[in-house]
Amino acid sequence: MKRILVTGGAGFLGSHLCDKLIEEGNEVLCMDNFFTGSRSNIHHLLDNKNFELLRHDVTHPTYVEVDEIYNLACPASPVHYQFDPVQTTKTSVLGAINMLGLAKRLKIKILQASTSEVYGDPEIHPQPESYKGSVNPIGIRACYDEGKRCAETLFFDYHRQHKTKIKVMRIFNTYGPRMNPNDGRVVSNFIVQSLKGQDITMYGDGMQTRSFCYVDDNIDGMYKLMNSRDGFTGPVNIGNPGEFTMLELAQKIIEITNSKSKITFLPLPQDDPMQRRPVIDLAKKELDWEPKIKLEDGLVKTIAYFESIL
């Protein structure tokens, strides 16, 4: 049995990861400052003898004894990461420094939950891990994009300089139960609006594309990456290569919810990427991983969750 630290463990992805790690027979130390995480996401785990909750901000050092670290702490939706952009950058950069320092001291493996946002508004489509990105370092999204890019830099420098065992995962759009209904992400926005019969707000002309990975597939990829061969550091794309326009997504959600919602169009936000789709050849080769859950099936499960909480 391993004792595993999950930073951001009360968040959308973090709480699902805690579930997975406990199912696999581990002890989990969930660390969260509850800026975007929610106690309701982990409420079902609070009485589990293999689960421990530590309320702590990753920007401050922590001294615990664990066997592995999954570093997921960071607000991940534009609404939340732009609320306090300086703190967002601190969370990515200081959080990486603190967790890498802990991993170095304990001589343990650490996984960084990075993001497809490191590719910015890509000039290459779809995006392989070798693509270096097209990011605006002074734009409103830079606190997140550049924060995550700097975290990757730190991970690889700790690996080269201190021989720290690292795994870096670039997460593409993920959705599923426990998403925050007010996080401003496209899936949660469209579902909440359609369930309430409100107009669906479409930014731009709706022709921009995204690839949507169901949360169970994402967590499976994360777990496989952490347990991959020692020589494999990543970065590795984890996402679903199925590509859909925003209009297609809205129409699917309206259809599943049987909603009367109409679509209204608003201006596209600054630096919003027009295309996003992962090349997942590396994940297939190294992790024997590819997503299994189709968008329609994942949306049905996600909509059922939102119906239960709204």
Side-chain angles (χ1 to χ4, degrees):
M1 178 187 285
K2 292 177 190 166
R3 179 167 158 80
I4 301 174
L5 172 61
V6 179
T7 72
F12 162 47
L13 287 183
S15 62
H16 284 280
L17 176 61
C18 290
D19 286 343
K20 168 80 170 173
L21 295 174
I22 286 172
E23 280 166 23
E24 295 289 339
N26 301 291
E27 285 184 0
V28 169
L29 175 58
C30 166
M31 191 169 103
D32 209 297
N33 69 348
F34 294 104
F35 173 59
T36 56
S38 167
R39 194 171 284 272
S40 63
N41 287 342
I42 51 165
H43 187 264
H44 62 290
L45 293 172
L46 293 176
D47 292 331
N48 190 306
K49 64 179 173 46
N50 290 330
F51 181 82
E52 184 183 346
L53 175 60
L54 173 63
R55 186 166 194 149
H56 184 82
D57 190 319
V58 77
T59 63
H60 302 290
T62 185
Y63 303 97
V64 293
E65 302 298 318
V66 291
D67 302 308
E68 281 179 355
I69 302 168
Y70 287 82
N71 187 37
L72 276 65
C74 190
S77 72
V79 167
H80 290 140
Y81 69 62
Q82 289 169 14
F83 173 76
D84 186 345
V86 171
Q87 187 61 28
T88 296
T89 304
K90 284 182 177 178
T91 300
S92 285
V93 177
L94 296 179
I97 289 168
N98 288 331
M99 288 303 112
L100 284 161
L102 182 61
K104 177 192 163 195
R105 178 175 72 81
L106 297 173
K107 297 182 172 58
I108 60 173
K109 233 185 324 188
I110 179 168
L111 181 145
Q112 168 68 1
S114 191
T115 171
S116 59
E117 296 294 336
V118 300
Y119 300 124
D121 188 4
E123 292 159 350
I124 290 176
H125 191 73
Q127 294 80 52
E129 290 87 352
S130 58
Y131 177 53
K132 293 182 175 64
S134 170
V135 175
N136 175 6
I138 59 170
I140 58 171
R141 298 171 72 102
C143 59
Y144 185 68
D145 302 357
E146 297 289 29
K148 289 287 192 178
R149 284 162 70 96
C150 184
E152 286 197 14
T153 301
L154 285 160
F155 265 70
F156 278 90
D157 282 337
Y158 264 77
H159 176 62
R160 285 184 287 257
Q161 190 173 337
H162 301 299
K163 306 294 184 280
T164 307
K165 296 175 187 168
I166 64 162
K167 306 284 181 182
V168 175
M169 168 182 180
R170 290 178 178 164
I171 297 171
F172 282 69
N173 288 54
T174 305
Y175 70 100
R178 301 184 200 157
M179 290 184 88
N180 184 325
N182 303 311
D183 68 4
R185 294 191 216 196
V186 65
V187 173
S188 48
N189 267 8
F190 287 2
I191 290 175
V192 169
Q193 288 166 341
S194 64
L195 288 174
K196 291 183 173 179
Q198 300 168 343
D199 283 352
I200 285 182
T201 49
M202 181 74 62
Y203 295 97
D205 61 5
M207 288 295 103
Q208 64 271 42
T209 65
R210 293 292 183 276
S211 304
F212 300 101
C213 185
Y214 188 67
V215 63
D216 291 359
D217 283 333
N218 176 292
I219 296 301
D220 181 47
M222 192 180 295
Y223 184 77
K224 284 184 169 177
L225 174 58
M226 180 61 105
N227 294 286
S228 61
R229 64 183 176 85
D230 276 354
F232 184 63
T233 59
V236 60
N237 290 338
I238 296 291
N240 193 319
E243 188 176 8
F244 299 89
T245 67
M246 296 300 94
L247 273 176
E248 285 176 307
L249 177 69
Q251 284 154 357
K252 280 180 192 291
I253 289 170
I254 288 170
E255 188 182 320
I256 295 167
T257 55
N258 198 23
S259 176
K260 301 284 193 292
S261 294
K262 302 283 189 290
I263 297 173
T264 59
F265 293 86
L266 297 172
L268 198 64
Q270 181 191 345
D271 297 328
D272 199 53
M274 289 306 295
Q275 294 178 303
R276 198 50 81 58
R277 175 157 69 95
V279 175
I280 61 166
D281 296 353
L282 189 60
K284 286 180 181 174
K285 174 174 173 274
E286 286 287 346
L287 311 179
D288 190 27
W289 177 89
E290 61 183 313
K292 297 182 175 68
I293 296 163
K294 292 181 180 152
L295 181 60
E296 290 84 352
D297 298 336
L299 285 175
V300 167
K301 294 180 183 184
T302 309
I303 287 164
Y305 167 77
F306 277 100
E307 283 176 328
S308 74
I309 65 165
L310 290 177

